[in-house]
Amino acid sequence: MKPHDTIPYTELPDYSDEERIARAHAFYDAIKKRRTCRDFADTPVPREVIETALLAAGTAPNGANHQPWHFAIVESAEKKKAIRDAAESEEKAFYEGKAGKEWLEALAPLGTDDDKPYLETAPYLIVIFGQRKGGMYPGEMKQNYYVNESVGIATGMLITALHDAGLATLTHTPNPMKFLNEVCERPANEKAAMILVVGKPSKTATVPVHATVKKPLDQISSWL
C-alpha cells in the first residue's frame, strides 16, 4: 500500500472457533426474528435510542470515507402528516396501474395498498438521504463515491441496531420521492433513498405468511 497515516487495527476478541460458531448462531437466532411492521403503536421511544442507532449506522463502510448519507428524523405530527399525504398520493397512482400487472401480482401476498397510516402513527420516521456532493467536513462540496452502496450498507446496519434495541421498522419507498427534500428541508444535492418507519409494534400487529418464507442457504450462496 502507498504511505498514509495509520493507527493499529481494532483489537478483536480472541474467540475460539467454537465460540465464533456459537456467536454466529446466536446472532442469526436474534436477527431472524426481525420482521417488517405495518401496524405501529404511538408509544414514545427515547430519543437516545434513535441517536445511538444512528451512530452505529454511521460506522458503516463507505466510499473514500466521505460518509455520504444524511438521516432526517421526523417526529413532528405536522411533517409526518405532510409525508403521509404526499406518499399516499404517489402510492394511489402506483396501485391503480402505474406499477404494472406483474409487480402488483408480486405484492398481492403481502396485502399492501395505498393506505399508509403508520407514517403518522409511528413515533419516528427516519428519511435517509444519499449525498452526491459533500465530503468529510462541514462546508465541503467534494464528489462522493459509491453513494448508493454506502447508504444501503448504513441503512442495513441502522435496521439491525434498531432491531437489537427492540424496535420494529418498515422501509417505505414512495416513487418519486423528491417531495421529501422539501418536507425535510434538505438541499438539492441530496437524494432520498427511503423512509424508515420506527417504533413499537401495536398489540394487533401481524406478519404476512408470505413474508416468513426465506430462501435456504443453498439458494443464496455458493462456495467456489
Side-chain angles (χ1 to χ4, degrees):
M1 297 181 68
K2 295 180 180 178
H4 60 289
D5 293 336
T6 66
I7 60 172
Y9 189 83
T10 304
E11 184 176 347
L12 296 176
D14 187 19
Y15 297 126
S16 67
D17 286 348
E18 291 76 16
E19 289 172 321
R20 294 183 201 282
I21 291 170
R23 291 178 66 85
H25 280 287
F27 179 79
Y28 171 59
D29 287 340
I31 200 64
K32 72 181 181 181
K33 296 179 176 66
R34 188 214 62 80
R35 302 291 183 197
T36 292
C37 180
R38 292 183 175 85
D39 188 3
F40 286 83
D42 60 3
T43 311
V45 171
R47 178 172 175 166
E48 186 176 357
V49 176
I50 306 301
E51 290 180 335
T52 307
L54 290 169
L55 286 171
T59 69
N62 61 92
N65 198 34
H66 281 195
Q67 301 152 62
W69 44 63
H70 182 86
F71 303 95
I73 301 88
V74 180
E75 55 182 342
S76 152
E78 180 182 1
K79 286 192 175 292
K80 285 195 288 186
K81 184 179 188 308
I83 290 174
R84 180 184 179 182
D85 288 347
E88 286 186 340
S89 177
E90 300 295 348
E91 293 290 287
K92 189 172 188 297
F94 177 91
Y95 283 98
E96 287 182 349
K98 181 180 177 181
K101 181 181 178 182
E102 186 174 359
W103 195 346
L104 293 177
E105 287 177 350
L107 290 171
L110 296 173
T112 56
D113 57 23
D114 56 46
D115 187 25
K116 311 294 181 185
Y118 45 75
L119 292 174
E120 286 192 87
T121 307
Y124 297 109
L125 305 180
I126 302 177
V127 184
I128 302 166
F129 291 90
Q131 298 177 324
R132 288 167 284 196
K133 296 278 188 178
M136 288 184 62
Y137 303 105
E140 290 186 336
M141 286 300 287
K142 296 180 179 179
Q143 180 67 44
N144 287 333
Y145 305 95
Y146 299 107
V147 175
N148 292 339
E149 295 86 346
S150 301
V151 170
I153 297 169
T155 300
M157 291 178 65
L158 176 59
I159 291 170
T160 303
L162 292 168
H163 174 76
D164 191 59
L167 295 177
T169 55
L170 175 139
T171 54
H172 181 49
T173 52
N175 184 27
M177 291 191 277
K178 289 183 179 179
F179 70 88
L180 290 168
N181 288 70
E182 181 179 352
V183 175
C184 297
E185 303 172 23
R186 300 307 304 166
N189 67 292
E190 295 184 358
K191 182 179 180 181
M194 71 182 68
I195 303 168
L196 187 66
V197 187
V198 182
K200 297 178 181 178
S202 76
K203 294 186 182 300
T204 58
T206 61
V207 176
V209 172
H210 180 74
T212 66
V213 180
K214 303 301 179 184
K215 293 180 179 180
L217 185 62
D218 63 358
Q219 289 185 24
I220 65 171
S221 64
S222 57
W223 293 73
L224 308 177

